[in-house]
Amino acid sequence: MKLSLRDVVLCLNGEAYSGPDADRELLRVCTDSRAVAPGDLFFCLRGERFDAHDFAQTVAQAGAACIVAARELPGLPCPVVVVDDTQKALGRLARCWRDRFGAREGTRVVAVTGTAGKTTLKELLAQTLGGVLRVAKNHKNFNNQIGLPLSILSADGTEDAWVMELGISQPGDMDELGPIIAPDLAVVLNIGPAHLQGLGDLSGVARAKASLLRHLAPGGRGLCCMDYPELWTEAQALLPDVEGFSTKNSFAKYYARFEETLSEGGGLYEVIMDGQAFWAELPACGAHFAENAAAVVGACHMLGLDAERIASGLAGANLPDQRFCCAESGCWRVVDDTYNANPLSMRRSIEAARLLAGKERLVLVLGDMKELGPGAMEAHRELGAAIAAAAPDSVFFQGEYAQAVAQGAPGVAVTRVDAPGQVLEALAGLSGGGTILVKGSRSCRMEEHAKALLAGL
Ligand code: ATP
Ligand code: MG
């Protein structure tokens, strides 16, 4: 990081600072009082349970070089920059970093959004670009009004490209995140019924996701999936020259189609990139990963990579943990897709697991899909229908919606479970193996099931 105290004050309050330590270079931006190291710039954020202003003294004693706070904090041994809202100030500093210090001439700033698969796409794209360029990306899933600025501020400005994921759950979120990053390339991956408590309905989701295109840097470009009519219409209205990718329409500028499964959970995809056809291998199989492949291909092509580089980048990429990651245990294949779930990703993962299992046994170990508002019951009944369509051999369900799922899947036995050991017990008596998909919303902690299965089968 090459930010001085003078830079920070100028950026946050528009004032020329000439007090003590004005030229001291700040080493890192930090918002976790337990993780402060000497030389850090600390932002006092207010969370649901804690107000970091209460820890300012400890933070200063731990060696913070400067503290950004929403009120005066007298008696501290380091300078305090007072702002109206510390979270917004963090976003402003990230934008300053993006404009003045971070994104040097020629750095391409890419923002990715969508309902399901943002982190997967961010990782696949960053790793593919990484074969040719120096790339910065968000740490893990740091994609909200705090995580995005921290990710931007941890890029050191020597990179050729930044690939950052933006996650929203409320209508105004994109108008807060978009201006922080002001991307040169915005990629909208998909839409589905998720965060409906905040976003209302699918049109609300389409409007909110597409609105990233309002926040492009001057000369910035957009890339959007054409397979969702509400989203594509919205995107074209906002940016008439938006580029499109598709998994359905082979006449799209960027097209990918899942062809077949490969060993160890990989997949082969047919790609057409601006008229040029080629085959690409991905570390994931299933029709929905064609969407991610088409988005990577489109973004890489728009950033100047050729087909050979893109194919070799995709082939060498790794999926982030808990996103459809396959592991073998005895004669079983366990698909750990436990990072999160919403109706779109749930349905697609079940379809992909069916494909992977082929004619062999398919076991589904699923948990609730959260944050669906008043439509939750109906969404779980629809999940039941998707389960029935995949004709699994066994279904285990953990959570409050087990009954709704069972109602939607007449003829399928849905066993309610509360603890990981129960699934293991039920499977232990079976001869032969098969494919087990484990998935549910983050708070269901379905990874405990995956761990128990991998350890015990
Ligand atoms: P979050 O909103 O929690 O940040 P995300 O959009 O970053 O989620 P991921 O974490 O990449 O999404 O993946 C969440 C789930 O969606 C995983 O189960 C993953 O396998 C699945 N997934 C990945 N790509 C797609 C896609 N194109 N369509 C549907 N589901 C997908
Ligand atoms: Mg994510």
Side-chain angles (χ1 to χ4, degrees):
M1 159 148 293
K2 290 187 192 63
L3 271 182
S4 67
L5 186 51
R6 178 181 285 121
D7 295 329
V8 171
V9 176
L10 186 65
C11 173
L12 297 187
N13 288 341
E15 289 164 14
Y17 174 81
S18 54
D21 291 336
D23 293 315
R24 179 169 179 187
E25 211 167 87
L26 302 162
L27 293 184
R28 225 174 40 136
V29 174
C30 183
T31 59
D32 180 347
S33 60
R34 296 157 302 179
V36 172
D40 281 356
L41 168 63
F42 184 79
F43 277 75
C44 296
L45 299 179
R46 289 198 179 100
E48 273 168 27
R49 286 184 299 148
F50 297 108
D51 179 351
H53 292 84
D54 298 340
F55 307 117
Q57 188 63 251
T58 321
V59 162
Q61 272 157 9
C66 173
I67 293 180
V68 179
R71 56 179 156 85
E72 299 289 347
L73 296 169
L76 292 188
C78 66
V80 175
V81 180
V82 179
V83 296
D84 286 342
D85 178 324
T86 49
Q87 186 183 301
K88 291 210 164 85
L90 180 64
R92 279 208 304 283
L93 189 68
R95 176 60 192 262
C96 284
W97 183 242
R98 186 253 182 271
D99 284 349
R100 282 193 275 157
F101 309 100
R104 66 187 163 83
E105 192 77 14
T107 302
R108 301 290 89 191
V109 175
V110 185
V112 166
T113 196
T115 293
K118 297 178 288 298
T119 302
T120 309
L121 172 59
K122 178 257 293 181
E123 285 296 329
L124 292 175
L125 178 55
Q127 291 177 49
T128 306
L129 291 172
V132 189
L133 308 172
R134 277 170 303 176
V135 180
K137 60 186 181 186
N138 333 52
H139 179 58
K140 295 194 171 171
N141 197 37
F142 278 29
N143 66 9
N144 64 10
Q145 283 87 333
I146 298 170
L148 177 68
L150 288 176
S151 298
I152 291 175
L153 287 159
S154 63
D156 69 12
T158 63
E159 300 89 359
D160 307 299
W162 293 358
V163 183
M164 300 283 171
E165 156 185 0
L166 278 56
I168 62 167
S169 56
Q170 299 294 327
D173 285 351
M174 195 61 88
D175 293 330
E176 293 183 14
L177 294 174
I180 294 175
I181 184 144
D184 299 306
L185 173 60
V187 186
V188 189
L189 179 63
N190 55 29
I191 53 162
H195 297 298
L196 297 184
Q197 265 164 2
L199 300 176
D201 54 14
L202 199 61
S203 311
V205 177
R207 262 196 311 280
K209 303 280 177 191
S211 68
L212 172 59
L213 300 172
R214 290 183 199 277
H215 300 290
L216 296 174
R221 303 174 71 195
L223 173 67
C224 179
C225 189
M226 302 164 75
D227 300 342
Y228 306 84
E230 291 99 332
L231 177 65
W232 183 236
T233 306
E234 197 71 41
Q236 283 182 304
L238 288 174
L239 191 71
D241 64 353
V242 63
E243 300 285 8
F245 66 90
S246 175
T247 62
K248 298 192 169 121
N249 180 354
S250 58
F251 294 107
K253 183 156 183 190
Y254 304 109
Y255 168 76
R257 179 183 63 78
F258 174 68
E259 170 77 5
E260 63 182 16
T261 52
L262 301 173
S263 60
E264 291 170 18
L268 182 66
Y269 298 79
E270 181 196 14
V271 172
I272 304 176
M273 180 176 87
D274 203 11
Q276 185 185 5
F278 60 97
W279 293 99
E281 283 179 24
L282 256 75
C285 79
H288 62 301
F289 285 101
E291 193 169 77
N292 304 15
V296 172
V297 166
C300 286
H301 185 252
M302 290 169 84
L303 295 171
L305 266 64
D306 62 22
E308 202 178 318
R309 300 263 197 200
I310 296 171
S312 75
L314 280 171
N318 293 309
L319 284 182
D321 288 346
Q322 296 177 272
R323 273 79 167 192
F324 216 82
C325 297
C326 300
E328 307 289 327
S329 185
C331 44
W332 293 91
R333 176 198 284 127
V334 178
V335 183
D336 178 347
D337 202 26
T338 57
Y339 185 75
N340 220 340
N342 57 44
L344 180 66
S345 72
M346 200 58 129
R347 179 170 49 78
R348 289 178 161 180
S349 288
I350 293 169
E351 287 165 7
R354 175 73 275 173
L355 209 66
L356 199 58
K359 293 195 167 60
E360 289 169 10
R361 180 185 282 135
L362 174 64
V363 177
L364 302 177
V365 183
L366 307 177
D368 283 343
M369 303 181 291
K370 302 290 191 194
E371 283 186 73
L372 293 177
M377 279 294 178
E378 186 51 31
H380 284 84
R381 278 194 285 271
E382 284 169 12
L383 169 60
I387 290 173
D393 298 272
S394 322
V395 181
F396 299 91
F397 198 90
Q398 174 182 306
E400 56 182 305
Y401 296 108
Q403 210 183 342
V405 170
Q407 279 168 2
V412 178
V414 178
T415 308
R416 196 182 164 148
V417 290
D418 302 306
Q422 288 172 272
V423 178
L424 197 58
E425 247 170 59
L427 296 184
L430 299 176
S431 64
T435 295
I436 310 174
L437 171 69
V438 193
K439 186 171 179 65
S441 270
R442 184 85 297 279
S443 60
C444 301
R445 299 190 53 79
M446 297 302 287
E447 60 272 22
E448 300 304 330
H449 286 278
K451 271 189 223 146
L453 289 166
L454 283 169
L457 280 172

